[in-house]
Amino acid sequence: MEVKRRTVQTLVTKLGSVSERTRVDALCELRLMTKLDAESRPLIAEAGAVPYLAETLYSSSHSSQDNAAATLLNLSISSRATLMSTRGLLDAISHILRHHASTSYASAVQSSAATLHSLLIVEEYRPIIGSKRDIIYSLVDIVKHVGSPTRSVKDALKALFGIALYPLNRKTVIELGGVGTLFSLVMKDLAVGLVEDATAVIAQIAGCEESEEAFRKVSGIGLLVDLLDGATSSSMRIKENSVGALLNLVRCGSEKVGREVREMGLGMGVVEGIADVAENGTGKGKGKAVALLKVIYGGNGCVVRDERFDSLLNQCSS
């Protein structure tokens, strides 16, 4: 371990060399080391590599951006506190994301968004990252931009999901155009994985007062209801996310949004979709689906024509 520590210190020292070739070689070695050797990651972080790596994200060299961003992503697995305590790190990540359509290398953008997702696993970091409006704006823009690679969109969606887990961040995502962007992605009927990730974010941001007006502007309730209709062949995860979004809208919105969800949800194809989640979804998904059925049928006092739905509704009070 001591030999490894000395090797790491030597490489990190080389990151500050006046020789570009020396810096590039050291960066390549550190990237490979953080990928293949889990024990080296905390050693590299403790040796002071993070400030150098953050500075390198501003480089005009695509290979340097790529290597630095990938190394930071690898370090984020075990050294999140070191990354978050490094002054200027989030600004450097924001720089890479902000220039995703111009000077930033695609894989560096992807690694930077993935690093945010990794950092957002820690609950106390969510308000800190969410306070950086430029980061949220850039993530939304990556999702919106027609030229963004699929991998970039997927990583941006995962980062947005982590940000939206903190309730006070949801308003910011909405203010920066997140709702329209996410529903536009869903309507494009792209790969199932992207729609699953997009609806996961939608379900989270539905959980705030500001969501009602934003969803109404893009006919969001109708689109979510459509995803629950069997004719759309949505995956179970998409259905669960749609159920979660509708339930959050009802819980955080006005009586009007509750009426809209009830009226639109009464179609048999939609009810069948919700019931499918209630019977075959994950544990959390089942509970939300049963709760949404209760909303649609106006509570336990409503007569349900199908014994199957009656049984599911009774789960609410069991």
Side-chain angles (χ1 to χ4, degrees), residues 3 32 94 101 141 220 223 249 287 293:
V3 173
L32 187 62
S94 175
D141 195 57
L223 290 168
L249 278 170
L293 281 173

Side-chain angles (χ1 to χ4, degrees), residues 84-146:
M84 285 298 293
S85 64
T86 299
R87 184 177 180 181
L89 174 72
L90 293 179
D91 291 335
I93 289 176
S94 175
H95 172 82
I96 282 288
L97 298 176
R98 188 165 62 251
H99 296 91
H100 68 93
S102 54
T103 58
S104 295
Y105 192 48
S107 62
V109 172
Q110 293 154 19
S111 292
S112 295
T115 298
L116 288 176
H117 179 248
S118 176
L119 294 172
L120 287 159
I121 290 173
V122 182
E123 191 171 345
E124 54 261 41
Y125 297 160
R126 293 170 189 166
I128 298 172
I129 295 173
S131 70
K132 301 285 188 179
R133 291 176 65 91
D134 49 338
I135 285 180
I136 297 177
Y137 176 86
S138 297
L139 291 170
V140 171
D141 195 57
I142 290 169
V143 176
K144 179 172 26 178
H145 185 62
V146 293

Side-chain angles (χ1 to χ4, degrees), residues 8 12 40-51 75 78-79 82-83 86:
V8 164
V12 171
S40 72
R41 293 169 191 156
L43 298 179
I44 292 169
E46 292 165 7
V50 178
L75 291 178
S78 58
S79 301
T82 303
L83 267 66
T86 299

Side-chain angles (χ1 to χ4, degrees), residues 232-306:
T232 61
S233 301
S234 297
S235 69
M236 180 57 70
R237 186 180 169 210
I238 292 173
K239 289 180 182 179
E240 286 200 13
N241 291 337
S242 299
V243 165
L246 290 170
L247 191 59
N248 277 339
L249 278 170
V250 170
R251 287 173 171 171
C252 297
S254 64
E255 291 184 10
K256 182 179 180 181
V257 76
R259 287 196 303 271
E260 290 177 11
V261 170
R262 278 193 292 273
E263 291 169 2
M264 293 186 186
L266 280 171
M268 285 308 295
V270 178
V271 172
E272 285 284 349
I274 301 171
D276 185 28
V277 176
E279 293 176 331
N280 304 306
T282 63
K284 287 184 177 180
K286 288 179 180 180
K288 291 177 181 179
V290 170
L292 185 58
L293 281 173
K294 184 179 179 182
V295 168
I296 290 173
Y297 284 109
N300 292 326
C302 183
V303 176
V304 183
R305 291 172 297 177
D306 192 312

Side-chain angles (χ1 to χ4, degrees), residues 182-232:
L182 291 165
F183 275 108
S184 293
L185 182 64
V186 171
M187 290 174 64
K188 288 177 184 176
D189 196 25
L190 300 173
V192 172
L194 285 181
V195 178
E196 288 178 341
D197 290 338
T199 52
V201 183
I202 288 171
Q204 289 299 319
I205 61 177
C208 67
E209 292 182 3
E210 293 77 12
S211 65
E212 179 177 345
E213 181 181 354
F215 278 52
R216 186 170 286 116
K217 286 180 179 178
V218 297
S219 303
I221 294 175
L223 290 168
L224 291 168
V225 166
D226 285 344
L227 290 174
L228 288 166
D229 194 312
T232 61

